[in-house]
Amino acid sequence: LRPPTVIGQFHTLFFGSIRMFFLGVLGFAVYGNEALHFSCDPDKREVNLFCYNQFRPITPQVFWALQLVIVLVPGAFFHLYAACKSIKQEDILQKSSYTGFYIFSVFLRIVLEVVAFWLQIQLFGFKVNAIYMCDVGALDKKFNITRCMVPEHFEKTIFLIAMYTFTVITVILCVAEIFEISCRRLGFLKTQ
C-alpha cells in the first residue's frame, strides 16, 4: 500500500531514498572516524575519550538513525492497520475514519520531526567549532580545562545544516500532504 497522495508518495521517495542515502553514505564519511581523530592537549587516550564523550553524548549518526526510525513508526502503524483491514488505497481518501487515521499518522510525523529538530539543536547546535574546551576536572588532573581539536569541523557544520534542511523539508511535505488531503475531501481537487 503506497501513500494515497502525490505529496505522500514524493515524501516516501524523499524520506526513504535521499535522506537515508545521505545519512548512510555521507554521514559515515563525515562522522565515521570522528572519535579516532578527536585529540586534546595533552594527547592522552583517557583525556581524549573523556572529552569526546563530553563533546558527543550521542553521535550524530546514531541520533539521526533513531530519528529516521521513530519518524517512520506512525506511517508503519497506519500501513499495518490498512493491511490488516484490507483497506485499498482509494478508500483512504473516501472514508472519513480512514482519512482521519491517516491524517493523524501524518500529524504525528510532524510532531516527531519537530521534537527531533529541537533535540538536534540542543545536542549539536548549528555550527561545529574547530576547538572544544573540555572540563577534565573529574579526572583529578592539575588542570580543569583542556583544548580539543575537532576533526573536519567545517564538513560537520555543512552536514548539520543539511540534516536540519531535510527535517524542514519533511515537515513541509507532511503539512502539504494534510493540505492536499483536506482539499480532496472538500472537493477542491479531484481524487486520484
Side-chain angles (χ1 to χ4, degrees), residues 22-189:
F22 193 83
L23 177 60
V25 175
L26 295 178
F28 181 76
V30 173
Y31 288 97
N33 62 359
E34 183 179 52
L36 294 173
H37 297 285
F38 187 86
S39 62
C40 301
D41 181 29
D43 191 12
K44 294 184 178 174
R45 181 169 163 72
E46 69 175 17
V47 173
N48 289 347
L49 286 174
F50 180 83
C51 289
Y52 182 74
N53 287 334
Q54 194 179 103
F55 175 67
R56 291 275 189 238
I58 182 172
T59 62
Q61 293 162 289
V62 170
F63 176 82
W64 291 317
L66 285 171
Q67 177 185 359
L68 289 175
V69 170
I70 289 169
V71 170
L72 286 174
V73 168
F77 275 131
F78 177 80
H79 289 292
L80 181 64
Y81 170 78
C84 290
K85 295 280 191 180
S86 300
I87 298 171
K88 296 177 184 157
Q89 181 181 357
E90 57 272 4
D91 291 341
I92 296 171
L93 297 178
Q94 302 289 325
K95 297 184 180 176
S96 295
S97 60
Y98 299 157
T99 304
F101 189 28
Y102 185 76
I103 287 175
F104 178 73
S105 75
V106 175
F107 180 74
L108 197 53
R109 267 190 274 159
I110 294 170
V111 170
L112 292 171
E113 287 282 11
V114 168
V115 168
F117 191 85
W118 179 81
L119 281 172
Q120 183 177 340
I121 291 170
Q122 300 304 308
L123 290 168
F124 311 121
F126 289 97
K127 182 181 180 197
V128 179
N129 295 317
I131 304 291
Y132 175 72
M133 301 306 284
C134 177
D135 180 2
V136 291
L139 291 177
D140 294 327
K141 299 292 180 188
K142 297 174 193 168
F143 47 88
N144 285 335
I145 304 293
T146 189
R147 293 168 43 108
C148 300
M149 300 293 289
V150 179
E152 294 114 10
H153 62 93
F154 185 70
E155 290 176 10
K156 289 176 176 66
T157 297
I158 292 170
F159 202 85
L160 270 176
I161 292 168
M163 293 309 287
Y164 283 122
T165 304
F166 283 142
T167 301
V168 168
I169 290 170
T170 300
V171 169
I172 290 169
L173 288 173
C174 289
V175 169
E177 185 173 16
I178 290 173
F179 182 75
E180 180 184 350
I181 291 169
S182 300
C183 287
R184 287 187 189 286
R185 292 287 297 170
L186 295 171
F188 296 125
L189 294 172

